[in-house]
Amino acid sequence: MNPDIRVCSVCAWRENCQKKFITPVDTFCRVHCPDYTRDVRIKESEIGDRIVEYHLERWRSIGRPKLGITVTISRQAGAGGSEIARRLAEEFKMDLVGRQLIELVAKSTKMNVKMVELLDEKAANRIDSMITSFFVARQLSPDVYFRHLTRVIAAIGDRGWSIIVGRGAHLIIPREKAIRLRFIAPDEYRIGHFMSKRQMTYDEAKGYVGKKDADREGFIRKYFKIDSNDPMNFDLVVNTGEMGIETAFTAAAALIRKRIEVHKGSQPARPSEP
């Protein structure tokens, strides 16, 4: 199932659009403007480029965050990880980077370079050095897409103050810079989630959950050669079927606050004003 990408900038390209970016865009690049109409003259590749440019320009204007912390979210389908990611982004005013945006950048060398150009030359060289050692140490596949994906995630992680959903980000960003969260739930809980939220039948929801899990586990196995369910790769694993979304969010937020305090305490003190 392909996501319905609805970005305010898409509509704003149209000459008769009266909204001009005033309709809020959610953190997964979607907008639900009542006046939205798709301009069929615009190709999907163009939409992808504009989405990436939109985010790159926003990151340029914001500048580099003060704290180099990145939260990574790994989740089973229907366990509520995406919802918790959105809530954490709102709570801590972090950028939320979803799978679609990362893949759009990773599939384009041009956009990949622009992403790294947001960092200074020293940081960019550090990223390249880290990626080289990362591939050598793990003896990973030289797949071009995966190498681009790694570079993009590393650049976002180096910039910091972001939440990255999926794509093995918890295995790419150095542990000392990442807060690695995973959300799981029993099969029946997750099947019920899709039956309720997407009006699927039981069999449709079961099939969807099974396929999503297989795709995500297969991605980690193919590119990282490990079991995606290994709890040792995470700082916190929460069963939302037992704890509920609210408690899971509270636990994740508490861990992030603790790490922020530790990170602030490790920063060198600024010289006092004369």
Side-chain angles (χ1 to χ4, degrees), residues 7-23 31 33-39 41-42:
V7 181
C8 191
S9 57
V10 173
C11 203
W13 301 340
R14 300 175 63 88
E15 294 180 2
N16 61 352
C17 177
Q18 301 300 313
K19 300 298 182 181
K20 297 297 181 185
F21 302 96
I22 64 173
T23 301
V31 66
C33 172
D35 299 330
Y36 175 88
T37 52
R38 179 66 172 274
D39 190 334
R41 296 170 300 175
I42 302 171

Side-chain angles (χ1 to χ4, degrees), residues 28-57:
F28 282 104
C29 302
R30 295 182 298 245
V31 66
H32 301 287
C33 172
D35 299 330
Y36 175 88
T37 52
R38 179 66 172 274
D39 190 334
V40 295
R41 296 170 300 175
I42 302 171
K43 298 178 181 179
E44 286 292 337
S45 59
E46 291 181 76
I47 294 176
D49 288 348
R50 304 259 182 152
I51 290 173
V52 175
E53 289 285 6
Y54 172 85
H55 281 273
L56 291 176
E57 185 56 39

